[in-house]
């Protein structure tokens, strides 16, 4: 039997901690905003963090299994190819996702 | 003199608030379908767990933290202690602490607007706004990106909770998240000041995914901050 008061307590704790994790670091670095090391990190970090996020989203690609890995490789080739060719982020995302969805839903044996 | 002229011309060309808001919403459009699909899966998870539909938008509005929201519902259902809930929330979202170092929050004007931008800082809004020049990503556009991402997420939750299984599983839409983060990473590497941070990020990311899969983002970005800081401090004492 689901318990609403329990879920409310869980939601409030999750919300407070998440909010704290998103706000306290900003307050902590505010006085150091002009320090050389924070200035350096603010410029150097984006490319590094985005690389880590990209690897994180790529982690489940199974290169040994053509049925699960294949559509993702095709989608990524379309994404990177379009981005390099046209330099348009939106186009690359939309076209590669459409390609991926078509491959997964239309090629027999791939639909899970 | 000439530089001053160029700077003031640039200031004149700064986008209007309306343009910034439109631009911010447009930034989120390409992967809106992925956010809506992920949100719908969450909405479905809420109702399939036996809770009322309105819990889905409530979580999207008050917690607004994709994967943690799934875990919170499971923890509530499984009767986990509130200490476990707190620890899980801390572990899953600690990575956000490192985003503060390179999030363009300082461009957002006004106390309430700033509070909202912090509250709504997710992987998605961080990735779409970080590392872009101020004339391209002013504070109002940062706010618009955050609000649009949250609106897509809440809408998805409502769809999944009310529409049920028919809408809760759009096969393949989740690929937009992968494509977005890969393209944004390539874009950021192209405009990065040098190749150092991308290479360290690559090594930290790969090691973290292999060695600590459950905490890969936290450990990977923590290691990145540590290494970049140490390298900078060493470099500045040598110079």
């Amino acid at each position: 039997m689901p318990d609403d008061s329990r879920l409310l307590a869980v939601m409030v704790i999750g919300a407070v901690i998440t909010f704290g994790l998103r706000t306290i670091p900003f307050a902590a670095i505010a006085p150091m905003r002009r320090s050389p090391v924070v200035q350096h990190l603010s410029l150097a970090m984006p490319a590094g963090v985005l690389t880590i996020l990209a690897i994180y989203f790529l982690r489940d690609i199974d290169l040994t299994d053509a049925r699960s890995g294949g559509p993702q490789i095709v989608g990524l080739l379309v994404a990177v190819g379009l981005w390099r060719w046209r330099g348009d982020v939106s186009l690359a995302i939309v076209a590669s996702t459409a390609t991926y969805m078509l491959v997964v839903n239309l090629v027999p044996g791939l639909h899970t | 003199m000439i530089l001053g002229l160029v700077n003031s011309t640039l200031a004149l060309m700064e986008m209007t608030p309306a343009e910034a808001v439109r631009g911010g919403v447009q930034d989120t459009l390409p992967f809106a379908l992925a956010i809506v699909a992920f949100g719908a899966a969450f909405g479905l998870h809420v109702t399939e767990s036996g809770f009322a539909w309105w819990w889905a938008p409530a979580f999207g509005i008050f917690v607004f933290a994709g994967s943690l929201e799934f875990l919170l519902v499971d923890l509530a259902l499984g009767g986990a202690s509130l200490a476990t809930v707190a620890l899980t929330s801390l572990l899953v979202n600690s990575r956000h602490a490192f985003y503060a170092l390179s999030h363009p929050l300082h461009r957002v004007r006004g106390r309430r607007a700033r509070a909202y931008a912090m509250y709504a800082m997710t992987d998605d809004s961080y990735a779409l706004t970080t590392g872009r020049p101020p004339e391209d990503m002013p504070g109002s556009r940062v706010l618009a990106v955050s609000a649009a991402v949250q609106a897509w997420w809440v809408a998805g939750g409502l769809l999944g909770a009310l529409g049920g299984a028919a809408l809760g599983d759009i096969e393949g839409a989740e690929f937009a998240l992968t494509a977005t983060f890969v393209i944004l990473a390539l874009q950021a590497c192209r405009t990065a000041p040098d190749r150092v941070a991308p290479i360290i990020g690559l090594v930290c990311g790969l090691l973290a995914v292999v060695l600590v899969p459950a905490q890969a983002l936290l450990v990977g970005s923590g290691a990145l901050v540590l290494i970049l800081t140490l390298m900078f401090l060493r470099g500045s004492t040598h110079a």
Side-chain angles (χ1 to χ4, degrees), chain A residues 2-4 6-11 13-15 17-19 21-23 25-26 29 33 36-38 40-59 72 75-76 79-80 83-84 89-90 92-94 96-97 100-101 104-105 111-112, chain B residues 30 50-51 55 59 62-65 68 72 76 80 82 86 89-90 93-94 96-103 105-106 118-119 121-122 126-127 130 171-172 174-176 178-181 183-189 192 197 201-202 209 217 220-221 224-225 228-229 232:
Chain A
D3 180 350
D4 275 355
R6 187 78 190 166
L7 190 58
L8 181 66
V10 167
M11 186 178 86
I13 291 175
I17 290 184
T18 302
F19 185 62
L21 286 168
R22 288 173 183 168
T23 50
F26 281 109
I29 60 161
R33 196 81 249 166
V37 68
V38 170
H40 169 72
L41 287 176
S42 69
L43 287 178
M45 290 254 314
V49 176
L50 287 171
T51 304
I52 294 173
L53 277 166
I55 293 170
Y56 182 75
F57 276 91
L58 292 173
R59 74 195 185 285
Q72 296 201 303
L76 285 171
V80 176
W83 172 74
R84 294 200 60 151
V89 175
S90 305
I93 296 166
V94 171
S96 64
T97 306
Y100 178 84
M101 290 175 78
V104 175
N105 288 297
H111 195 87
T112 46
Chain B
F51 294 108
W55 280 108
F59 269 75
F62 294 111
V63 187
F64 189 32
L68 177 66
L72 291 176
L82 295 183
S89 309
L90 204 61
N93 280 341
S94 318
H96 292 156
F98 299 117
Y99 295 173
L101 284 163
S102 49
H103 183 281
L105 181 78
H106 51 279
M118 286 190 278
Y119 156 81
M121 187 186 65
T122 55
Y126 168 81
T130 188
E171 178 127 25
E174 75 284 353
F175 183 79
T178 308
T180 302
F181 283 107
I183 297 297
L184 289 177
L186 289 172
Q187 182 110 318
C189 292
L202 187 68
V209 162
L217 290 176
S221 44
L224 175 74
V225 174
L228 285 177
T229 306
F232 179 77

Side-chain angles (χ1 to χ4, degrees), chain B residues 200-222:
Chain B
I200 298 173
L202 187 68
V203 175
C204 290
L206 287 174
L207 286 176
V209 162
V210 173
L211 299 177
V212 275
Q215 295 298 336
L217 290 176
L218 172 64
V219 175
S221 44

Side-chain angles (χ1 to χ4, degrees), chain B residues 101-115:
Chain B
L101 284 163
S102 49
H103 183 281
L105 181 78
H106 51 279
R107 294 179 202 155
V108 178
R109 298 280 158 235
R111 278 179 76 89
R112 269 182 296 183
R114 237 177 227 223

